[in-house]
Amino acid sequence: MKLGVVVLAAGKGTRMRSALPKVLHPLAGRPLLGHVLDAAAALGAAQVAVVYGHGGEQVPNAFPQSKAEWVEQRERLGTGHAVLQAMPAMAAMDRVLVLYGDVPLIEPETLTRLVDDTVETSLGLLTMELVDPTGYGRIVRDKSNRVLRIVEQKDASTAERAITEVNTGIIVAERTRLADWLGRIGNDNVQHEYYLTDIIGLAVADGVTVATTAPETLEEVAGVNDRAQLALLERHYQRGIAEKLMLGGTTLADPSRLDVRGSLSCDQDVFLDVNLVCEGRVRIGANCHIGPNCLLKDCTLGTGVEVMANSIIEGASVASGARIGPFARLRPGSEIAEDCHIGNFVEVKKSRIAAGSKVNHLSYVGDAEIGAGVNVGAGTITCNYDGANKHLTEIGDGAFIGSNTALVAPVVVGPGATIGAGSVISRNAPAEQLTLTRAPQATIEGWTRPTKAAIKSST
Ligand code: UD1
Ligand code: CA
């Protein structure tokens, strides 16, 4: 059985009040439509077609890697018309599942259940019971509880509006029959739209039994129409991630103050303080402690790493036992070995720092290779950029760099070397020796401070 998926994403999204097409608004750092495409992929769809319109090529351009077929719906004449546009792309499919670009949290398990539950018949619907069904299409059943048709809110009678079982919009149908029904729907309704939902009545008239199944949660089938609904789904999604982490052995100071925009994996007994944002792929080893207000992006932390408040780690790796922050920034290409200390107001870029070294205060370390057991004093700067090119600074094992040193790269400081505080090191400093550049200190005998000139009276 070849399953095709049609994703409707041509809507205008007026209520988002945005220049960005609605389906490109991010949820957990990924476009809404990206979540739906992932669900289709998880189902093992043989072909995916996305019906787009509003926002033009911006929508397909946002998914350069996707193998989906992009079908433009030039005029938005209704959901039935939209699916019809995608039918040529479904020509080789046995069944077609219709999803929505603005319904991002649909679970592949639910869709698999819908598809499996309806194999015996040509048409399956995902429906749900709502206390307040306002706005939704209502599922009209006969006395034997068989589905007869769907009536849209705007076309419904008072009695029909009292029905609490509603259409989620998600349907699965046999491809050939779907094509036939879609060819027969009209737009003789209040909105003058071609309703996808009209195929249900046609199917029933053809003697087809319509099967229904329900989602696990209402959030799964919730659509995003405005930014308030987007925020609700974001929180729901983040809550799910937080629950999984906690059940997996991670302590969260507050599960509502964690945002994962990508993937986060934590080994046992990790503590995450409030307001952590994770982006891309983040891996945290056992017994790490992450302080408040940190940003971790595409990084790996070993075991027992302590990241103190307000630190940013991006594209970097930090080995076991290291201590980072507070207010540290590790930029891409930084490799911090075991038991290093990278302290407050220290920026590290594309540098390797070997085991046990310390850069504790107010430093910039860029394009550097620092050995083991090195002490980099407060205010040390690697002058790695000459205005045109970047150059390497090498510091051997056990070196001691005095405070406020400028290391003018390319430069090598030998193992065990000591650099006197305040030096500007522009030539290689030999191993085990004291090297310093420093103007001699002078005291001017008998010097007095200037005094303010007396102001002359104007009288
Ligand atoms: C639709 C269903 C309704 C269901 C509800 C669930 C129809 C006629 N009604 O109503 O039974 O309860 O969804 O939310 O299907 N779209 C296009 N092209 C179009 C029209 C719509 O791509 O020409 C897309 C929209 O972007 C949107 C989705 O289809 O994502 C639903 O369209 P909308 O007009 O909002 O349908 P509803 O009135 O919500
Ligand atoms: Ca809608």
Side-chain angles (χ1 to χ4, degrees):
M1 199 275 294
K2 274 191 180 160
L3 179 70
V5 171
V6 172
V7 183
L8 301 193
K12 204 150 180 259
T14 311
R15 280 179 282 165
M16 295 300 281
R17 298 185 188 280
S18 176
L20 188 68
K22 175 164 76 174
V23 295
L24 297 187
H25 277 259
L27 186 149
R30 242 168 345 132
L32 295 175
L33 179 54
H35 289 265
V36 182
L37 293 176
D38 286 354
L43 268 181
Q47 175 73 261
V48 177
V50 183
V51 181
Y52 71 101
H54 186 75
E57 299 307 309
Q58 248 185 301
V59 176
N61 288 347
F63 300 91
Q65 317 282 16
S66 169
K67 290 191 196 78
E69 192 148 328
W70 299 89
V71 180
E72 192 179 1
Q73 186 191 22
R74 286 194 186 81
E75 284 179 292
R76 281 176 295 280
L77 302 179
T79 48
H81 177 260
V83 176
L84 190 60
Q85 307 310 300
M87 289 310 282
M90 294 289 117
M93 298 298 109
D94 300 310
R95 299 175 87 198
V96 172
L97 173 70
V98 178
L99 301 179
Y100 298 84
D102 58 0
V103 180
L105 299 188
I106 186 67
E107 288 286 350
E109 290 74 21
T110 297
L111 296 174
T112 303
R113 191 153 43 75
L114 171 67
V115 171
D116 291 349
D117 283 1
T118 57
V119 279
E120 302 297 331
T121 184
S122 308
L123 185 58
L125 302 178
L126 194 66
T127 71
M128 59 183 168
E129 286 287 340
L130 289 183
V131 179
D132 176 11
T134 310
Y136 287 88
R138 310 296 205 279
I139 310 294
V140 182
R141 293 178 184 264
D142 67 11
K143 289 195 188 68
S144 335
N145 211 33
R146 283 184 300 233
V147 174
L148 291 180
R149 59 195 177 91
I150 295 179
V151 61
E152 292 303 301
Q153 161 94 18
K154 285 180 180 152
D155 301 292
S157 66
T158 311
E160 287 166 338
R161 285 186 187 188
I163 298 171
T164 52
E165 186 188 10
V166 304
N167 175 30
T168 63
I170 294 173
I171 67 157
V172 61
E174 219 172 87
R175 198 258 312 164
T176 48
R177 305 209 75 166
L178 177 63
D180 170 46
W181 296 324
L182 287 172
R184 283 156 55 195
I185 58 177
N187 67 349
D188 182 16
N189 52 55
V190 173
Q191 303 186 81
H192 302 295
E193 281 184 11
Y194 294 88
Y195 290 162
L196 174 61
T197 45
D198 280 355
I199 69 167
I200 286 83
L202 293 170
V204 170
D206 283 351
V208 168
T209 307
V210 179
T212 61
T213 189
E216 290 289 326
T217 67
L218 297 184
E219 285 86 358
E220 266 189 77
V221 291
V224 172
N225 294 304
D226 57 37
R227 298 188 202 227
Q229 290 171 340
L230 178 60
L232 280 176
L233 289 192
E234 176 79 40
R235 280 304 106 211
H236 176 77
Y237 182 88
Q238 295 298 345
R239 181 75 206 189
I241 291 175
E243 297 281 345
K244 276 197 199 112
L245 283 167
M246 292 187 291
L247 295 176
T250 300
T251 299
L252 304 185
D254 181 352
S256 68
R257 283 186 284 172
L258 166 70
D259 281 79
V260 179
R261 301 169 191 154
S263 73
L264 167 63
S265 75
C266 291
D267 291 340
Q268 260 184 22
D269 293 312
V270 167
F271 177 85
L272 305 179
D273 213 325
V274 298
N275 300 332
L276 171 63
V277 175
C278 292
E279 295 181 355
R281 273 175 74 93
V282 175
R283 274 203 48 88
I284 301 181
N287 298 308
C288 284
H289 186 286
I290 313 296
N293 308 321
C294 290
L295 169 63
L296 302 180
K297 181 173 181 181
D298 294 312
C299 63
T300 305
L301 309 185
T303 61
V305 172
E306 182 168 13
V307 178
M308 284 175 273
N310 302 300
S311 294
I312 299 174
I313 303 180
E314 177 182 355
S317 67
V318 179
S320 302
R323 224 169 66 193
I324 311 295
F327 295 99
R329 181 177 182 206
L330 304 185
R331 290 170 52 198
S334 300
E335 291 175 37
I336 312 299
E338 289 77 12
D339 305 317
C340 283
H341 293 179
I342 306 296
N344 18 216
F345 308 106
V346 172
E347 175 179 347
V348 180
K349 186 217 80 170
K350 203 179 168 194
S351 295
R352 284 214 298 240
I353 304 182
S357 288
K358 295 174 182 162
V359 189
N360 268 329
H361 328 269
L362 299 155
S363 286
Y364 173 62
V365 175
D367 302 302
E369 291 274 352
I370 298 182
V374 170
N375 195 308
V376 176
T380 296
I381 304 292
T382 54
C383 309
N384 60 327
Y385 185 51
D386 59 15
N389 296 298
K390 304 277 168 68
H391 301 283
L392 186 68
T393 298
E394 287 176 76
I395 301 176
D397 293 347
F400 180 98
I401 313 296
S403 295
N404 200 31
T405 292
L407 297 161
V408 182
V411 72
V412 179
V413 175
T418 300
I419 305 296
S423 296
V424 176
I425 301 298
S426 47
R427 282 177 289 128
N428 293 352
E432 308 293 343
Q433 307 287 317
L434 170 65
T435 301
L436 74 168
T437 65
R438 194 179 284 173
Q441 182 168 323
T443 302
I444 312 300
E445 297 288 342
W447 178 85
T448 55
R449 281 191 197 170
T451 53
K452 248 191 176 138
I455 299 166
K456 283 190 191 130
S457 152
S458 57
T459 52

